[in-house]
């Protein structure tokens, strides 16, 4: 399909609000002149290359580059609370955190996080069982005794420590997603151009492959197809057990399908917006059929971007928005709120190569992205 790139203003400039009700003339004028980003309370400390997950009304911020502190941001209170610190022997640099899926656990009051990555000489693999840090029922002493809200070694069924990554695997700027028919597979993409599949049930790698690219892959965009698309699959498609993912980094755009029955990958080239080709280290988030990209870094020209781009997976179409981030950012992180109505953008480097405590959010409807509340409850 031919590459398509257009420029578009966000939806409010077209005269509609979040519920698709026409805006008044004064509201339209306000939307035209105001920024689509809302400033939130600054981070407790400046952070770059952080990793975040959502849990109910919380955004869990799990460390950053050379920053071991982990804390919870409460979306209703607009406040932060320290959860814990990574162990003192862990050096964080380009790590990855994912939320594990336990199909047998019916306890909705806790989640399990997996953290791994870093330099091949200083990798870590840790887990945390997290419970609401804002509840009065969970005092610190109880959490410590019960191994909640702290990072502990990742172990197998016999309590043997497990390290994710082979001896020479370089996991700085690693990215990962959870997938497979039972959400038991960890798909890992990392430099220089690698993809691996780790079975979380057997605690073993079951596949290693090479990405068809000429670019060095790290601090990149790596997402799975959305939940809505998975739900809309036909029975025939589900029986094929193909899991679909997308990757973007510099000039590389890839769609990949993993055949779980045959343990094989198929790769397809995707277009990349010309404006985005020089960049990596952007924040990104995948919603429904859309990926939003915020900022980024061009290391050849040492340029920091404040642009916002949108990629339509179904149409293979790019849009560059006229509205931008309040200031240039790279090495920031974007996370979709639990109710799927807005995106939080956290931390990063400014154009002066300074780590910032920035925390802003933006409504999805401003970027012409429908919210998916019904799918995530």
């Amino acid at each position: 399909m031919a590459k398509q790139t257009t420029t578009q203003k966000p939806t409010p400039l077209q005269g509609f609000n979040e519920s698709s009700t026409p805006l008044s003339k004064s509201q339209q004028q306000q939307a035209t002149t105001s920024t689509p980003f809302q400033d939130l309370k600054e981070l407790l400390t400046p952070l770059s290359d952080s990793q975040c997950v959502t849990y109910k009304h919380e955004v869990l911020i799990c460390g950053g580059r050379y920053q071991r502190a982990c804390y919870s941001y409460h979306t209703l209170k607009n406040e932060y609370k320290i959860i814990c610190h990574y162990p003192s022997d862990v050096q964080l640099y380009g790590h990855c955190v994912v939320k594990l899926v336990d199909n047998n656990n019916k306890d909705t009051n806790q989640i399990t996080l997996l953290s791994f990555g870093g330099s091949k000489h200083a990798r870590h693999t840790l887990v945390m069982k997290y419970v609401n840090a804002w509840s009065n029922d969970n005092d610190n002493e109880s959490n410590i005794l019960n191994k909640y809200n702290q990072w502990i070694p990742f172990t197998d069924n016999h309590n043997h420590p497990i390290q994710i990554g082979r001896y020479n695997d370089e996991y700085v700027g690693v990215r990962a997603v959870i997938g497979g028919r039972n959400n038991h597979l960890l798909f890992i993409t990392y430099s220089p151009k690698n993809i691996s599949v780790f079975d979380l049930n057997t605690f073993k790698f079951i596949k290693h492959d090479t990405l068809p690219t000429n670019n060095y892959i790290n601090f990149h965009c790596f997402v799975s197809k959305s939940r809505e698309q998975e739900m809309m699959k036909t029975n025939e498609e589900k029986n094929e057990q193909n899991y679909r993912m997308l990757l973007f980094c510099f000039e590389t755009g890839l769609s990949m399908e993993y055949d779980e029955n045959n343990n094989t990958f198929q790769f397809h080239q995707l277009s990349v917006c010309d404006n985005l080709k020089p960049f990596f280290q952007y924040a990104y988030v995948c919603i429904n059929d859309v990926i939003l990209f915020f900022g980024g870094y061009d290391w050849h020209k040492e340029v920091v971007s404040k642009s916002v781009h949108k990629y339509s997976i179904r149409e293979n179409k790019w849009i560059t928005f006229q509205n931008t981030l309040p200031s240039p950012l790279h090495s920031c992180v974007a996370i979709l709120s639990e109710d799927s109505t807005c995106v939080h953008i956290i931390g990063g480097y400014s154009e002066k190569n300074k780590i910032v405590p920035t925390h802003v959010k933006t409504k999805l409807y401003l970027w012409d992205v429908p919210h998916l509340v019904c799918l995530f409850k």
Side-chain angles (χ1 to χ4, degrees):
M1 182 180 293
K3 177 179 63 180
Q4 301 180 61
T5 305
T6 60
T7 302
Q8 178 178 309
K9 293 183 180 181
T11 301
L13 306 188
Q14 301 167 356
F16 291 90
N17 62 15
E18 186 172 6
S19 60
S20 297
T21 303
L23 295 174
S24 67
K25 186 175 181 179
S26 62
Q27 287 174 318
Q28 292 185 42
Q29 290 174 345
Q30 182 180 4
T32 303
T33 58
S34 63
T35 174
F37 295 93
Q38 176 187 348
D39 287 326
L40 301 175
K41 189 172 184 178
E42 288 190 346
L43 303 174
L44 297 181
T45 183
L47 284 177
S48 69
D49 297 311
S50 184
Q51 290 287 285
C52 298
V53 298
T54 54
Y55 170 67
K56 298 184 178 179
H57 295 300
E58 299 177 66
V59 176
L60 307 181
I61 303 170
C62 302
R65 185 179 297 195
Y66 306 131
Q67 292 285 344
R68 296 185 294 107
C70 303
Y71 43 97
S72 167
Y73 170 78
H74 199 289
T75 58
L76 302 182
K77 300 175 184 291
N78 192 28
E79 295 287 344
Y80 300 91
K81 178 177 286 191
I82 288 285
I83 300 171
C84 66
H85 288 75
Y86 277 86
S88 59
D89 61 342
V90 172
Q91 185 180 73
L92 297 180
Y93 180 32
H95 68 302
C96 182
V97 176
V98 295
K99 187 190 305 184
L100 298 182
V101 179
D102 186 352
N103 297 318
N104 298 317
N105 182 15
K106 305 303 181 183
D107 186 358
T108 60
N109 293 318
Q110 72 173 53
I111 57 173
T112 302
L113 307 181
L114 171 67
S115 176
F116 70 99
S119 165
K120 62 183 177 182
H121 303 297
R123 285 197 308 262
H124 71 275
T125 307
L126 302 168
V127 292
M128 178 198 297
K129 289 188 180 298
Y130 179 76
V131 294
N132 183 359
W134 299 86
S135 171
N136 295 328
D137 296 333
N138 302 311
D139 59 80
N140 291 331
E141 182 179 357
S142 174
N143 287 338
I144 292 174
L145 292 175
N146 291 295
K147 303 294 185 182
Y148 287 114
N149 296 15
Q150 61 176 316
W151 293 109
I152 61 175
F154 182 49
T155 59
D156 63 16
N157 297 328
H158 303 287
N159 209 33
H160 298 143
I162 299 295
Q163 286 292 330
I164 296 178
R166 298 170 297 182
Y167 178 75
N168 285 320
D169 284 341
E170 181 59 77
Y171 277 0
V172 173
V174 64
R175 299 288 186 255
V177 297
I178 299 287
R181 62 170 66 94
N182 295 313
N183 290 309
H184 65 294
L185 299 179
L186 181 68
F187 296 90
I188 307 169
T189 51
Y190 58 102
S191 62
K193 51 184 73 176
N194 299 303
I195 184 167
S196 299
V197 186
F198 184 83
D199 191 318
L200 294 163
N201 289 338
T202 64
F203 305 100
K204 293 180 180 179
F205 281 102
I206 59 174
K207 180 70 174 179
H208 297 286
D209 211 332
T210 302
L211 299 169
T213 176
N214 295 322
N215 291 138
Y216 196 89
I217 301 296
N218 68 350
F219 297 102
H220 52 287
C221 166
F222 182 47
V223 298
S224 61
K225 284 293 188 78
S226 74
R227 184 172 175 180
E228 181 185 50
Q229 289 170 311
E230 294 296 317
M231 293 174 66
M232 291 175 62
K233 284 183 179 178
T234 65
N235 290 332
E236 182 179 351
E237 286 175 322
K238 290 180 180 179
N239 290 333
E240 290 178 359
Q241 299 302 333
N242 286 352
Y243 190 71
R244 297 173 175 84
M245 296 153 281
L246 292 92
L247 179 149
F248 292 95
C249 188
F250 296 117
E251 297 182 358
T252 297
L254 291 174
S255 173
M256 56 196 82
E257 294 185 9
Y258 176 72
D259 185 333
E260 191 170 342
N261 293 328
N262 296 312
N263 193 22
T264 57
F265 278 106
Q266 286 189 348
F267 302 99
H268 308 279
Q269 299 290 331
L270 297 175
S271 67
V272 179
C273 175
D274 288 340
N275 296 335
L276 198 63
K277 284 182 179 180
F279 294 93
F280 77 138
Q281 292 184 328
Y282 28 61
Y284 62 90
V285 65
C286 185
I287 319 100
N288 195 8
D289 184 50
V290 164
I291 306 176
L292 293 175
F293 297 82
F294 302 92
Y297 183 62
D298 178 346
W299 66 354
H300 293 294
K301 296 182 179 180
E302 297 185 348
V303 171
V304 182
S305 172
K306 62 177 182 179
S307 296
V308 180
H309 298 87
K310 181 171 76 171
Y311 176 69
S312 169
I313 299 172
R314 178 172 49 85
E315 299 177 357
N316 189 30
K317 179 180 178 180
W318 288 89
I319 290 174
T320 299
F321 289 100
Q322 292 183 8
N323 279 2
T324 63
L325 289 167
S327 60
L329 278 179
H330 75 85
S331 300
C332 47
V333 62
I335 186 75
L336 182 67
S337 62
E338 189 80 1
D339 62 5
S340 305
T341 62
C342 64
V343 176
H344 291 257
I345 301 167
I346 294 172
Y349 279 90
S350 69
E351 58 185 338
K352 297 181 180 179
N353 202 33
K354 180 181 178 181
I355 303 177
V356 296
T358 301
H359 184 177
V360 299
K361 74 174 181 179
T362 183
K363 294 288 187 180
L364 284 182
Y365 76 90
L366 296 174
W367 312 98
D368 199 21
V369 180
H371 60 77
L372 304 174
V373 177
C374 61
L375 295 177
F376 287 84
K377 284 188 174 180

